[in-house]
Amino acid sequence: MSLKFGTDGVRGVANATVTPHYVMNLGRAAAQVLGISRVVIGRDTRRSGAMLEAALAAGFAAEGVTVELLGVLPTPAVAHVARVEGVAAAVITASHNPFADNGVKLFAVGGHKLADNVEARIESAMAALTDPSRIGGEVGTIVRRTDAAAVYSDHLIDMFTGGSETCAPFSGLRVVLDCAHGAMTGVAGAVVSRLGALVHIVGAEPDGCNINAGVGATHPDVLAAVTVEQGANLGLAFDGDGDRLIAVDHHGRVVDGDHLIALLAADLRAQGRLAHDTVVVTVMSNLGFHKAMAAAGVTVATTAVGDRYVLEALGAGNYSLGGEQSGHIIVPEFATTGDGLLAGLMLIDLVRRSARSFADLAAEAMHSYPQVLINTRVGHPWSQIAESVQPAIDAVERELGTEGRVLVRASGTEPLVRVMVEAATDVVARSSAQRIIDEIVRLGG
C-alpha cells in the first residue's frame, strides 16, 4: 500500500509492487473518491495487463461501479471514449518502461487527468479501506466492449476528411510507423492507411514481453533505418501506450518533441488557430526552441517536468498546444491527454499542405543547442545546499549569457540532483555542467 502516485499515475514492477491486490484496492478507493457509477478501462500489450485489468475491474465493481473493458487500446483512445461519453477511465500501462513493469493511469469524468489533491485523497482512501459492503444488486457489473477503437479512429479520420468516406488527403505520401509492439499496433496503421497514405509498419507484433524492446519512441534507430530503406517521406514512432511521438525524416534523422511542437506551433499560428499565440512546454525544452518561438512571434509558457503540468497550464490559460521534449504533444481542442497518433497525423497533414520535405521543415523549425544532463547523488536534501551552490550556478550563467541555459533541480523520487546545461557547443555545455556538479559534491553531495 506504500506505492504512491507519480507524475503519471502509479507504476512499478508488475506482481511485485504493482500487485493484483494493490490494483484492486486502487480501483475501490478511486471509485469512492471520484464518486462514479461507470468507468472504461483499457490496457497496453504487457503480459501482466490482463491480470491487472481483472483486479482493477473487480475493485471498481466491488464499489458498485459499472465497468466496461475496452481491451488493448492506446491511452489517448481510452481518454477520448471517456471524453465523448462523459465517464471516468483507467489505463493499465507502464508507458515506455520495460515489459516487466506495469501501472495504472486514472482519468476523471470526461477523460481528464487527476489533480494532485484528488490523487492524495485516493491514497488516503486506500489506507482506510475496510471490507466491501455492497451485496446483491449493489455490486457493479463488468462487460467487454469491441467498439472503442472505431470510436477513436473515426474521430481522428473525421478531423482530416470532414466526414467524407471517399476523401484520402494523404494520398501520395509514404509513411513508416513504429508501434513499439504496444497499444498502437491495432490502430495507427489502419488510420493512416484510411487517410490515403502508403504505410509500412514495424514494431507491430506484440507477444506480451516485447513492448518497447528496441523499438518505439525511446529506440528510434529501427524506424530511422526502415524509413530510409522504404524511401518514405517520414517515420513516426509511438511509445508503448501511444501517448507520445518521436519522428524521423527521409534521411533517418531523429526529430524530437521540441522540433515537432515548434513545427505545429508555427503552423497553427499561421492558420490563426494558436490561442493567444502561446505554446506550453516544460523547463526541459531546449533553448533553441525558445529562440525559435520568439522569432516566430509565439509566447512560451513554461511548466515543471510532466505532461500533467502542461495540461494544467493549457487549461488555466485556455491555450491550444503544449507538450514535452520527450514527445508528449497535447492539442486540447481534440484530446485531453498526449496523443502520438493525433500529433503524427497533424505532421503528415503539414507536409502535405506545404508540398515540402519533412526534413526541410524540421531543420527550419529550430536549431537545437547541445544539451548535457548530469545526475549526482546527494547526501543531504537539495534545499539544504542549494543556496551554497547558487554562486557557482550564477557564474556559469554569466559566462553563457544568451547562448546558454542552466537548470538545476532535485529528483522527486531519488536522492539525486540533476544538472542540465545548454550551450553553443557540447564541450562548453559538458564542462559547465561538470563545474556545477563538482561544487555540489564539494559542498556536501
Side-chain angles (χ1 to χ4, degrees):
M1 288 295 184
S2 61
L3 195 62
K4 300 290 185 180
F5 282 93
T7 57
D8 202 8
V10 296
R11 193 176 300 178
V13 178
N15 219 29
T17 53
V18 181
T19 65
H21 178 69
Y22 171 86
V23 170
M24 181 180 68
N25 285 334
L26 176 62
R28 289 189 59 205
Q32 292 176 8
V33 171
L34 298 178
I36 56 175
S37 60
R38 180 179 162 214
V39 65
V40 294
I41 301 176
R43 59 183 173 90
D44 67 22
T45 56
R46 293 163 211 271
R47 176 179 290 184
S48 59
M51 173 184 73
L52 297 180
E53 173 191 70
L56 187 62
F60 278 117
E63 297 296 326
V65 177
T66 297
V67 181
E68 299 176 5
L69 303 180
L70 308 184
V72 173
L73 204 65
T75 289
V78 178
H80 176 71
V81 172
R83 182 187 195 185
V84 298
E85 298 184 5
V87 297
V91 184
I92 299 165
T93 180
S95 190
H96 60 280
N97 284 30
F99 92 94
D101 291 351
N102 216 329
V104 180
K105 296 181 179 182
L106 291 171
F107 295 85
V109 171
H112 299 282
K113 290 195 174 183
L114 304 184
D116 288 347
N117 66 317
V118 176
E119 291 182 343
R121 288 169 55 203
I122 292 174
E123 290 174 353
S124 297
M126 289 182 71
L129 284 175
T130 58
D131 290 340
S133 59
R134 295 175 185 271
I135 60 173
E138 294 179 335
V139 174
T141 59
I142 301 174
V143 298
R144 292 196 175 271
R145 286 178 55 174
T146 59
D147 64 325
V151 171
Y152 173 64
S153 298
D154 290 348
H155 156 66
L156 294 178
I157 290 167
D158 286 349
M159 284 178 56
F160 298 93
T161 64
S164 171
E165 289 293 327
T166 60
C167 184
F170 299 166
S171 179
L173 293 173
R174 185 183 294 264
V175 181
V176 178
L177 303 176
D178 183 345
C179 297
H181 299 309
M184 276 293 179
T185 296
V187 177
V191 169
V192 180
S193 295
R194 282 176 62 185
L195 288 168
L198 183 62
V199 177
H200 183 88
I201 304 177
V202 298
E205 299 177 354
D207 63 9
C209 302
N210 62 356
I211 188 170
N212 301 313
V215 290
T218 54
H219 302 280
D221 292 352
V222 171
L223 175 68
V226 174
T227 299
V228 172
E229 175 188 293
Q230 292 290 318
N233 297 90
L234 72 162
L236 306 174
F238 311 106
D239 64 343
D241 71 326
D243 67 353
R244 73 163 74 178
L245 171 74
I246 295 294
V248 301
D249 65 22
H250 70 280
H251 299 298
R253 292 181 297 218
V254 176
V255 183
D256 68 11
D258 278 348
H259 280 78
L260 301 180
I261 297 166
L263 274 170
L264 295 176
D267 184 47
L268 289 173
R269 186 175 188 274
Q271 298 178 60
R273 295 172 53 202
L274 186 67
H276 310 296
D277 288 338
T278 297
V279 64
V280 181
V281 294
T282 76
V283 291
M284 291 303 294
S285 281
N286 194 273
L287 175 61
F289 176 86
H290 291 267
K291 292 200 169 192
M293 293 297 93
V298 175
T299 299
V300 179
T302 305
T303 76
V305 175
D307 66 330
R308 62 184 301 172
Y309 301 113
V310 175
L311 279 161
E312 288 173 3
L314 286 167
N318 197 27
Y319 302 130
S320 54
L321 177 67
E324 295 186 282
Q325 190 182 63
S326 61
H328 287 113
I329 299 175
I330 306 162
V331 187
E333 181 182 357
F334 303 109
T336 60
T337 189
D339 189 333
L341 183 53
L342 168 60
L345 296 176
M346 293 176 70
L347 288 173
I348 299 171
D349 186 57
L350 171 56
V351 171
R352 174 189 69 84
R353 287 183 286 107
S354 70
R356 300 179 62 201
S357 74
F358 178 56
D360 287 346
L361 292 170
E364 292 178 8
M366 60 171 276
H367 163 71
S368 289
Y369 280 64
Q371 185 180 84
V372 172
L373 176 64
I374 304 177
N375 299 328
T376 186
R377 288 195 170 271
V378 290
H380 305 282
W382 172 239
S383 59
Q384 293 181 11
I385 59 175
E387 186 175 346
S388 299
V389 177
Q390 192 60 47
I393 297 172
D394 293 341
V396 170
E397 289 180 329
R398 284 194 300 271
E399 293 172 14
L400 295 175
T402 60
E403 290 304 301
R405 188 168 70 101
V406 177
L407 176 65
V408 181
R409 62 188 183 92
S411 168
T413 57
E414 302 175 87
L416 297 175
V417 173
R418 309 188 192 281
V419 177
M420 188 275 287
V421 176
E422 293 167 350
T425 69
D426 183 75
V427 171
V428 172
R430 193 164 299 279
S431 64
S432 299
Q434 191 61 54
R435 282 169 54 193
I436 297 172
I437 289 288
D438 292 343
E439 190 69 1
I440 292 172
V441 172
R442 186 184 73 82
L443 291 168

